[in-house]
Amino acid sequence: MTGPLQHVITSCTSQTSYSGGTEDMGAGTPATAVRRGRRRASGALECEVLAALRRAGTPLTPREVQRELPGALTYCTVVIILRRLHGKRVLTRTPRGRAYAYAAV
């Protein structure tokens, strides 16, 4: 398997922890990017979202994905990650009410 799907799957299996960062990320840093003074590893949030969708087994809206994820992620952050994964053709989406429901390919 090659292409964007293989890249995301490969990076999800190789990244399971947070990378070290400075204790003070500075003013203006989004709260969702910092956890106890550490920043998520590149692609870690995408992996968490993809794993939540796979666990669910059915398409989920951004709000439902947000509830499935640990930590305090904003709705907008979840939507951005879902849109990026959809753009990489890792997710499919179908209209559900005023939102889209996303599912892993």
Side-chain angles (χ1 to χ4, degrees):
M1 180 184 319
T2 60
L5 180 60
Q6 179 59 36
H7 172 71
V8 171
I9 291 171
T10 302
S11 66
C12 286
T13 56
S14 64
Q15 298 173 357
T16 57
S17 62
Y18 297 100
S19 63
T22 59
E23 289 299 316
D24 181 18
M25 297 296 284
T29 302
T32 57
V34 178
R35 282 203 174 169
R36 291 185 286 266
R38 294 179 290 168
R39 190 176 178 94
R40 282 187 176 85
S42 177
L45 187 52
E46 287 183 350
C47 293
E48 289 178 32
V49 169
L50 192 56
L53 287 167
R54 286 188 176 147
R55 278 191 309 268
T58 60
L60 298 177
T61 63
R63 184 73 62 200
E64 293 166 335
V65 172
Q66 182 185 23
R67 288 186 200 125
E68 293 293 320
L69 296 173
L73 292 173
T74 66
Y75 178 81
C76 292
T77 300
V78 174
V79 169
I80 289 168
I81 296 301
L82 289 169
R83 285 182 182 168
R84 287 181 183 171
L85 288 171
H86 179 257
K88 293 177 182 181
R89 298 183 181 161
V90 177
L91 302 180
T92 59
R93 69 181 185 187
T94 55
R96 187 191 294 170
R98 294 177 56 193
Y100 285 107
Y102 293 85
V105 174

